[in-house]
């Protein structure tokens, strides 16, 4: 398989600052792959990526066409995207435009990760945000053997999305942004080796 650990991050209101905090904490010991679905107009994604690229040593790509994903790489969904396996490798591609209530839709991304091989380490993180996007996808991911982590009520700027995800995935873990950063660094750390 082309990646060792997959970390999915879903966020809405208040998310860009949280994502900035997470990515700025990564160091050269990080070997994982991060895919970010931040509710945002596709027109603002290039500027968002430029801001993020200024703080991390890893390449950041916008998902505008099918991409074979790699370790030590960050991907930002400009539209609703899905993961799939082809010839033993994990790919990420934008989906055809549909009637999705959010852009990009976190549920679709997380649900597609649930269909990946259970041997792949998969962590789904739901950060601050209004609404319930990510809750159903988190349940699919958890039921397939993935791990879920939700921002705590005390930490979240808006506790809508993490609250709803925790209601559906009662065994999911909850943490402050500091605890989430520590878990992401551990999950994608150098101790992870590809099979």
């Amino acid at each position: 398989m082309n990646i060792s650990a997959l970390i999915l991050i879903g966020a809405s209101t208040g998310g860009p600052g949280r994502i900035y905090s997470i990515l700025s904490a990564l160091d050269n010991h990080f070997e994982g792959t991060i895919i970010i679905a931040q509710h945002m107009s596709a027109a603002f994604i290039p500027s968002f990526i430029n801001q993020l690229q200024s703080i991390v040593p890893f390449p950041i790509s916008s998902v505008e066409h099918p991409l074979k994903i790699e370790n030590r790489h960050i991907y930002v969904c400009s539209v609703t995207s899905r993961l799939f396996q082809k010839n033993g490798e994990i790919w990420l591609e934008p989906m055809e435009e549909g009637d999705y209530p959010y852009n990009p839709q976190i549920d679709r991304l997380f649900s597609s990760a649930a269909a990946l091989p259970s041997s792949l380490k998969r962590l789904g993180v739901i950060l601050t945000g209004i609404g319930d996007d990510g809750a159903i996808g988190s349940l699919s991911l958890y039921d397939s053997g993935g791990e879920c982590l939700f921002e705590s009520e005390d930490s979240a700027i808006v506790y809508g999305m993490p609250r709803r995800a925790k209601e559906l995935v009662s065994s999911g873990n909850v943490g402050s942004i500091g605890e989430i950063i520590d878990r992401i660094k551990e999950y994608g750390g150098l101790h992870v080796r590809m099979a």
Side-chain angles (χ1 to χ4, degrees), residues 21-93:
S21 296
I22 291 167
L23 298 188
S24 64
L26 300 180
D27 56 27
N28 289 332
H29 298 291
F30 188 80
E31 291 287 326
T33 302
I34 295 178
I35 302 173
I36 297 167
Q38 164 67 52
H39 290 168
M40 182 180 292
S41 169
F44 296 112
I45 294 294
S47 174
F48 182 51
I49 289 175
N50 286 339
Q51 291 173 10
L52 296 177
Q53 191 66 79
S54 71
I55 61 163
V56 295
F58 310 111
I60 302 178
S61 299
S62 175
V63 182
E64 297 170 2
H65 53 81
L67 299 166
K68 183 175 77 168
I69 62 176
E70 303 173 30
N71 282 327
R72 298 175 59 86
H73 205 110
I74 299 164
Y75 302 88
V76 178
C77 300
S78 56
V79 296
T80 297
S81 303
R82 73 175 187 104
L83 290 151
F84 64 98
Q85 185 175 15
K86 180 172 80 173
N87 299 327
E89 297 177 317
I90 308 302
W91 288 70
L92 177 64
E93 70 176 356

Side-chain angles (χ1 to χ4, degrees), residues 86-157:
K86 180 172 80 173
N87 299 327
E89 297 177 317
I90 308 302
W91 288 70
L92 177 64
E93 70 176 356
M95 297 176 69
E96 290 185 20
E97 287 193 32
D99 188 20
Y100 306 127
Y102 309 102
N103 182 67
Q105 190 179 42
I106 299 164
D107 277 330
R108 293 275 179 154
L109 177 66
F110 280 41
S111 293
S112 70
L116 297 177
S118 59
S119 59
L120 174 64
K121 288 180 55 164
R122 296 158 296 148
L123 171 65
V125 179
I126 299 293
L127 300 175
T128 180
I130 294 171
D132 62 359
D133 192 22
I136 292 170
S138 293
L139 181 60
S140 295
L141 183 62
Y142 183 81
D143 285 347
S144 74
E147 183 179 330
C148 292
L149 179 56
F150 312 125
E151 190 170 4
S152 67
E153 183 172 8
D154 291 341
S155 176
I157 295 168

